[in-house]
Amino acid sequence: MTQAPATPRATRRQHDREIVALAVPAFGALVAEPLFVLADSAIVGHLGTAQLAGLGIASALLTTAVSVFVFLAYATTAAVARRVGAGDLPAAIRQGMDGIWLALLLGAVVITAVLPTAPALVELFGASDTAAPYATTYLRISVIGIPAMLVVLAATGVLRGLQDTKTPLYVAVAGFVANAALNAVLVYGVGLGIAGSAWGTVVAQCGMAAVYLAVVIRGARRHGASLRPDAAGIRASAQAGVPLLVRTLSLRAILMIATAVAARLGDTDIAAHQIALSLWSLLAFALDAIAIAGQAIIGRYLGAGDAQGAREACRRMVQWGIAVGLVLGLLVIVARPAFLPLFTSDSGVTDAALPALLVVALSQPVCGIVFVLDGVLMGAGDGPYLAWAMVLTLAVFTPVALLVPLLGGGLTALWGAMTLMMTVRMLTLWLRARSGRWIVTGATR
């Protein structure tokens, strides 16, 4: 007796279950990550202003270094998910190990580059004479943990590709708790000061990496996958990551240009911009969680040769992105009066931030589409198109943003330019999704 085909309603419910099962734990893990810096700031802040300033500069450098290599998670997720869809778990884990070996190599390069140049990097960021020694100390110690941080990125990608976002959540929460406890003990109990905060973070990151490696190694032994470094596989992982690196650098450039333009508008506007950008980044976590689900689900469908399933999953995730964007936008509009006093009591900053936050709110449905389609195309391994689209977006955004102060525009106009940037991203990604050229089935793209 043949089984009746699934109805559209049943298919939507299946996609909804998959999206929720992957996105909710992913959101928790994403939120836990910035809590590392928050915990460090809360503990170091009681040492003094100079120490906190030094932490801020070093953390900015470290965050930039790690974010540049976020492709280790994205590219690995897509590649592993394809092999899972194809039913070849040993190859999936082998692919993940290639990403982990690449992370270790890149971490070694970063250590070699940063250790001798730490004072110069701190000076480049404009550190004061009092903050610079603390920033250098924190940077030199923390950079030792960079390989562990990159292994965490790659291993997170492995587990996401294996359709597991719960383990990264558990590890992230445990890492945050360990980091906070170690910081408190080493900074105040042992009396190491800011160096204790750096060492606490390094130990916590190494512990997280060790847990991830234990999980991946156990899976490799269960399925008979080799753990040895494979030059060809590592090279393939690096090649897959290059377009995503270009994409990430272009996005970072957009955010840096926006901040630079806001600084030219004056102290009040740059303060208000920082508040708006912080909220925008927080909202991005919720939307990025759906994108992560998209990477894993789309990769699996394409690996299984199910082009129709990939199209339907893409369509459903876009609907989710729009719906979540609408909800987030409404929450921002309603919460603006209560949200701003948490950051400032300056009425000038509040007056500048209120209309900018309204623009942020209205742009959230567009952001929802962008994040989802970004995740879909990453899951499809369509990195070269994503790189081209982001470079084009950068080329459109830059002159528009630079014109804001020249034409007498304020912070609201700048966030209008940010919304234009997201709209350009939406159009480029929508055209690609509609074309179907991203749909390439098989265990490899």
Side-chain angles (χ1 to χ4, degrees):
M1 183 176 179
T2 59
Q3 186 175 2
T7 64
R9 190 172 188 178
T11 301
R12 285 197 300 271
R13 286 179 177 174
Q14 177 188 346
H15 291 317
D16 290 345
R17 285 194 296 269
E18 289 181 332
I19 293 167
V20 170
L22 291 171
V24 172
F27 174 70
L30 288 169
V31 170
E33 290 173 9
L35 293 178
F36 272 81
V37 176
L38 186 64
D40 289 0
S41 300
I43 292 170
V44 171
H46 292 286
L47 293 174
T49 301
Q51 289 90 331
L52 184 58
L55 172 65
I57 292 166
S59 294
L61 286 164
L62 290 164
T63 300
T64 299
V66 173
S67 66
V68 164
F69 297 115
V70 73
F71 69 83
L72 288 167
Y74 294 159
T76 304
T77 297
V80 171
R82 274 185 176 269
R83 285 161 176 78
V84 169
D88 193 347
L89 284 177
I93 296 173
R94 174 67 262 174
Q95 179 73 44
M97 285 304 305
D98 292 336
I100 291 172
W101 281 112
L102 176 61
L104 288 170
L105 291 174
L106 291 173
V109 171
V110 173
I111 288 178
T112 303
V114 172
L115 276 179
T117 61
L121 290 171
V122 168
E123 183 180 354
L124 184 65
F125 263 59
S128 66
D129 292 339
T130 53
Y134 297 112
T136 301
T137 296
Y138 191 93
L139 182 59
R140 278 183 164 159
I141 296 173
S142 294
V143 76
I144 297 172
I146 285 286
M149 295 181 192
L150 299 187
V151 166
V152 167
L153 282 178
T156 299
V158 176
L159 295 181
R160 289 173 180 170
L162 293 171
Q163 317 296 296
D164 176 10
T165 56
K166 290 183 179 179
T167 300
L169 171 61
Y170 301 148
V171 176
V173 171
F176 166 71
V177 173
N179 176 68
L182 286 167
N183 270 255
V185 170
L186 294 176
V187 171
Y188 296 109
V190 181
L192 294 180
I194 195 170
S197 176
W199 280 118
T201 300
V202 168
V203 172
Q205 291 285 355
C206 289
M208 291 170 66
V211 172
Y212 275 121
L213 288 174
V215 172
V216 174
I217 290 171
R218 186 170 66 243
R221 288 174 175 168
R222 184 185 307 124
H223 297 285
S226 173
L227 297 172
R228 295 179 181 177
D230 176 65
I234 295 171
R235 186 165 54 250
S237 294
Q239 289 172 346
V242 168
L244 296 180
L245 175 61
V246 172
R247 168 201 168 276
T248 300
L249 290 175
S250 299
L251 180 57
R252 297 291 300 183
I254 287 170
L255 298 178
M256 290 176 64
I257 290 169
T259 300
V261 170
R264 292 181 62 185
L265 296 176
D267 290 347
T268 297
D269 281 335
I270 185 62
H273 173 74
Q274 187 59 37
I275 294 172
L277 186 61
S278 297
L279 179 60
W280 189 80
S281 300
L282 178 63
L283 299 175
F285 285 131
L287 299 173
D288 203 25
I290 305 174
I292 288 170
Q295 293 172 29
I297 292 170
I298 294 298
R300 193 189 74 234
Y301 273 115
L302 294 178
D306 188 354
Q308 183 59 31
R311 287 191 187 92
E312 292 173 352
C314 173
R315 187 179 305 113
R316 189 57 177 164
M317 279 183 283
V318 169
Q319 293 170 354
W320 268 81
I322 295 171
V324 173
L326 285 169
V327 171
L328 293 176
L330 289 172
L331 287 175
V332 172
I333 292 172
V334 172
R336 280 184 308 158
F339 175 78
L340 285 171
L342 297 175
F343 289 86
T344 182
S345 58
D346 188 323
S347 60
V349 174
T350 300
D351 291 342
L354 275 171
L357 289 179
L358 180 59
V359 176
V360 170
L362 295 175
S363 70
Q364 287 310 296
V366 173
C367 293
I369 297 172
V370 169
F371 275 82
V372 167
L373 290 180
D374 211 35
V376 166
L377 296 184
M378 283 184 191
D382 204 11
Y385 182 85
L386 288 172
W388 173 87
M390 189 59 78
V391 170
L392 174 64
T393 303
L394 173 62
V396 173
F397 171 77
T398 301
V400 174
L402 295 178
L403 282 173
V404 168
L406 294 177
L407 297 178
L411 186 64
T412 303
L414 176 59
W415 274 94
M418 289 286 285
T419 301
L420 171 65
M421 177 269 294
M422 294 301 290
T423 303
V424 172
R425 289 186 68 189
M426 180 185 70
L427 290 174
T428 57
L429 297 175
W430 176 75
L431 288 172
R432 185 64 167 184
R434 185 183 181 188
S435 73
R437 293 178 183 173
W438 56 278
I439 299 177
V440 179
T441 57
T444 59
R445 183 176 172 86

